Amino acid sequence: VAELRRAKETAELFDGMEAEEQQVWKDELLVRTTFPAHTDDVPRVCLLDSGVNRGHPLLTPVLTSDDLHTVEPAWGKDDECNHGTGLAGIAIYGDLTNALATELPIQIDHLLESVKLTRGDGANIGNNEFHANLFAEAVTRPESSPQQRPRVYSSAVTATDFRDRGRP
C-alpha cells in the first residue's frame, strides 16, 4: 500500500434523504453562502442548453427572469428535461456534495444567464448549418440585451458523430 486516503464524500447520503431533511441541508447551505449583487459588472456564466428552472431555491439568488432567453419563443425558457438546471448548479456550486459536506462559508463571485438552445431530450432536427445558426442565435440573445456584461459561454450540447451511427 503506497498511501491511505480518507474516502471521498458522495452524493449518496444526500440522495437517500427524505425531502424534509434535504430542505434542512439546502437552507443551511443558503445561510452560509454569499452571492454577488445583480449589477452589470458582475461576470455571468451563460449556459447554452435546455434552459434553467429559475425557481430552484439554490439557483434563485443567481438568476433573474431577465437573464433567461430562448432561441425559439414557442419553446419557453424553462428546462423541460432538467439538464440545463443541473449544469446551472454545477456552474454555481461546483460539486454540490463538497458544498454540502462542509460548514465553511461559501462565496459565489458570478451570476448566471441561460439561453434555451434545445428542448426536451435535446433533439433538434436539422443539418449542421441549422445547428450553427441556432448557436449563433443563442449567443446573440444575451449580447443584444441592453446590459453589457462580462460573460463566458458554456454548452454541453453535442451531436452524435457520424462514426457513432449504427452503434448502440
Side-chain angles (χ1 to χ4, degrees):
V1 174
E3 69 180 295
L4 295 175
R5 292 186 186 185
R6 186 177 178 159
K8 183 180 176 186
E9 293 288 338
T10 67
E12 183 179 3
L13 170 69
F14 304 110
D15 288 342
M17 292 179 183
E18 296 293 324
E20 296 79 19
E21 191 174 4
Q22 287 181 357
Q23 289 277 3
V24 171
W25 283 85
K26 181 253 321 160
D27 291 343
E28 190 273 332
L29 175 59
L30 286 172
V31 164
R32 51 188 179 81
T33 304
T34 305
F35 300 98
H38 286 268
T39 59
D40 288 338
D41 60 333
V42 175
R44 294 337 196 250
V45 174
C46 184
L47 301 170
L48 308 178
D49 205 86
S50 60
V52 173
N53 291 326
R54 187 181 153 289
H56 191 292
L58 294 176
L59 299 178
T60 300
V62 295
L63 189 65
T64 69
S65 59
D66 289 340
D67 296 327
L68 299 175
H69 308 275
T70 182
V71 295
E72 175 54 58
W75 295 350
K77 300 174 184 179
D78 293 332
D79 188 0
E80 298 170 8
C81 64
N82 202 30
H83 192 267
T85 302
L87 285 178
I90 292 169
I92 290 299
Y93 298 98
D95 183 346
L96 195 54
T97 303
N98 295 337
L100 291 169
T102 184
E103 294 179 359
L104 297 173
I106 295 175
Q107 173 72 42
I108 305 297
D109 295 320
H110 60 283
L111 299 171
L112 294 179
E113 292 176 319
S114 168
V115 181
K116 188 170 187 172
L117 176 63
T118 185
R119 27 180 344 192
D121 63 1
N124 283 345
I125 298 171
N127 61 23
N128 291 344
E129 185 176 317
F130 172 74
H131 289 281
N133 289 334
L134 278 180
F135 266 90
E137 178 69 22
V139 170
T140 301
R141 293 296 172 140
E143 289 286 340
S144 63
S145 69
Q147 301 86 6
Q148 296 302 309
R149 304 168 167 162
R151 66 174 55 88
V152 296
Y153 292 90
S154 176
S155 179
V157 176
T158 61
T160 303
D161 192 293
F162 69 92
R163 295 170 289 189
D164 296 332
R165 293 183 188 153
R167 293 185 185 172

